Amino acid sequence: MSIPGQAAADALVARLGVPVDPELLVLALTHRSFAYENGGLPTNERLEFLGDSVLGVIVTDRLYRDHPDLPEGDLAKMRAATVSQKALSEVAREIDLGPCILLGKGETSTGGADKDSILCDSFEAVLGAIYITHGIETAREVVERLVGPHLVAAARSGVALDWKTSLQEATASRSMGVPVYTCVGEGPDHARTFTATVTVDGTAYGTGVGSAKKHAEQAAAAEAYEAITGSDGSEPTVS
């Protein structure tokens, strides 16, 4: 199977800076919606699982070496900010990954090629393909080049946010209670979407959507953190 828009795929490989096994690249770009509509083809989800782990190891190693004086909690926040759905979808847009992803008709019609969740998952799958093709050191070079700027941004930001942890710290400092998350999954297995809502002391402060529960909860926590702290650090406001 070849990739529709082969020229776009070739340009993607050029932006990645390393060749990728062609069959693995196709697999990395095969979203479950496309696989479902084409007779149950293999999807990119196993490569995504692998790429997520590879990315986590590389980012953790970089943070550990670059910040010898930071405690584990701060390193965890910086890692979460760097490998978040939002950050990785931005990286995917920078390399113009969206047009290369194989999507079903439904996802294509609803702008799936520019959805944060799909871009994030597909980028991780591509990293998985690079790892299998070349090994950890080449994968590290690609991650350093593409994701490195986000590591720097996380280090420089005041709150290098793991949104769930930061929300919990914000509510604790205001004696508001512990954030409680509820998450509902909707849609068929090949196009599952999760919606999370976070409440504090019975009041809903944030809602988030993602292709995985963890992404939805992080998005909800981000919205709640902004509502509770305010952009100027003011007391919570609820819409």
Side-chain angles (χ1 to χ4, degrees):
M1 180 173 63
S2 61
I3 303 171
Q6 187 65 49
D10 291 342
L12 171 64
V13 170
R15 288 188 291 274
L16 291 171
V18 295
V20 184
D21 178 274
E23 291 187 6
L24 282 176
L25 182 60
V26 172
L27 182 59
L29 297 173
T30 303
H31 186 259
R32 59 181 179 266
S33 62
F34 182 90
Y36 178 81
E37 291 183 9
N38 288 273
L41 297 170
T43 75
N44 64 2
E45 291 174 352
R46 281 170 51 84
L47 279 176
E48 175 200 338
F49 171 77
L50 177 61
D52 176 71
S53 297
V54 171
L55 177 64
V57 168
I58 293 170
V59 168
T60 301
D61 179 71
R62 166 77 180 272
L63 289 170
Y64 181 86
R65 295 175 186 278
D66 286 358
H67 305 282
D69 298 326
L70 286 183
E72 178 271 343
D74 288 347
L75 294 175
K77 287 183 181 182
M78 291 170 65
R79 179 178 60 192
T82 304
V83 302
S84 69
Q85 178 175 282
K86 181 178 185 298
L88 295 183
S89 64
E90 289 175 2
V91 174
R93 290 188 181 93
E94 288 166 5
I95 61 173
D96 203 21
L97 181 60
C100 302
I101 302 171
L102 297 168
L103 297 170
K105 294 178 182 177
E107 282 291 357
T108 299
S109 66
T110 58
D114 196 47
K115 289 181 180 177
D116 284 358
S117 58
I118 291 177
L119 288 169
C120 170
D121 294 347
S122 299
F123 178 70
E124 290 177 337
V126 169
L127 285 180
I130 291 171
Y131 171 76
I132 291 177
T133 302
H134 297 286
I136 190 66
E137 290 308 318
T138 297
R140 186 190 307 276
E141 185 276 326
V142 174
V143 169
E144 292 275 2
R145 177 160 39 84
L146 298 179
V147 184
H150 294 268
L151 273 169
V152 174
R156 291 177 177 173
S157 67
V159 192
L161 285 172
D162 169 354
W163 293 108
K164 291 181 70 174
T165 299
S166 294
L167 175 61
Q168 185 166 333
E169 292 173 349
T171 57
S173 69
R174 292 166 171 77
S175 301
M176 295 175 66
V178 178
V180 176
Y181 296 85
T182 57
C183 194
V184 177
E186 296 179 320
D189 289 343
H190 67 277
R192 198 85 167 147
T193 298
F194 293 87
T195 301
T197 301
V198 57
T199 60
V200 183
D201 195 24
T203 300
Y205 283 93
T207 301
V209 178
S211 62
K213 180 180 177 182
K214 65 178 181 179
H215 295 321
E217 289 183 349
Q218 284 285 347
E223 184 174 285
Y225 182 89
E226 182 177 354
I228 288 172
T229 63
S231 59
D232 57 357
S234 61
E235 288 304 300
T237 56
V238 182
S239 57

